[in-house]
Amino acid sequence: MLYQAAVFLHILSAITWVGGTLFLVIVMVPLSRRETVASGRGLNLLRQAARRFVPVAWASIVVLAVTGVYLAWDHWGIRPDNFFTSGGHFISTLQAKTGLAVLVIGLSLFHDFLLGPLVVGQLEGPRGPGDPPAPTWGRRLLLVLARVNLLLVLIILFLAVSLTRP
């Protein structure tokens, strides 16, 4: 019963994280651009959506990590000694999935807590009549990081599926 609960939570968290990320990148970013041109409210719309999603995303990441470690340890008998020294399809795939997950978590930390607030502060800062427009490099970098993270998360999802059958 605990195994099924862990699998359920693992899948639900993956759906929440991947689905939310897809929604932000595919729906909210283009909508925000259109609204910025039409009414100037696009950045605010995207910022509000991201602020609501970030806690959900990080809760999903924590649940994924905890249930993933539990499943590997309890169900598959993976321990540090065989995780780092064993070969084979399953272990190699799990190592790749884990490595990409660590990379995604690092990129997400940078995106959500360092670069994101910096760029939003630049975009929302007070502007006088003769001030230059806010730099666009930060917005571009945020979007590139979001897309790279999305691609990496989709690769992790593919690897997870490939773990089900060698």
Side-chain angles (χ1 to χ4, degrees):
M1 182 70 168
L2 192 56
Y3 168 75
Q4 286 86 1
V7 170
F8 175 79
L9 289 173
H10 199 74
I11 292 172
L12 180 62
S13 295
I15 290 168
T16 302
W17 187 25
V18 174
T21 303
L22 281 168
F23 180 77
L24 283 174
V25 171
I26 294 172
V27 175
M28 290 304 297
V29 168
L31 180 64
S32 133
R33 284 187 186 137
R34 191 187 77 203
E35 284 299 311
T36 297
V37 170
S39 67
R41 296 180 304 176
L43 177 63
N44 189 39
L45 180 68
L46 183 60
R47 187 183 75 244
Q48 287 179 29
R51 280 189 179 155
R52 286 182 174 236
F53 179 64
V54 164
V56 172
W58 282 101
S60 296
I61 290 168
V62 168
V63 171
L64 279 165
V66 169
T67 57
V69 168
Y70 168 77
L71 291 169
W73 186 276
D74 189 67
H75 185 70
W76 293 308
I78 306 296
R79 303 293 187 267
D81 61 328
N82 60 353
F83 180 80
F84 292 106
T85 60
S86 297
H89 168 77
F90 187 85
I91 293 291
S92 297
T93 303
L94 188 60
Q95 289 169 336
K97 183 180 176 227
T98 303
L100 287 175
V102 169
L103 177 61
V104 165
I105 289 169
L107 289 174
S108 296
L109 283 167
F110 178 71
H111 178 278
D112 294 350
F113 300 111
L114 295 173
L115 185 61
L118 174 71
V119 171
V120 168
Q122 288 178 340
L123 294 172
E124 292 179 339
R127 299 250 174 258
D131 289 345
T136 59
W137 65 267
R139 288 185 0 207
R140 284 191 212 124
L141 183 56
L142 277 175
L143 188 54
V144 166
L145 280 177
R147 288 177 176 163
V148 166
N149 249 7
L150 177 58
L151 176 63
L152 293 174
V153 167
L154 292 175
I155 293 170
I156 291 169
L157 183 59
F158 174 79
L159 291 172
V161 170
S162 73
L163 284 173
T164 59
R165 295 272 188 234

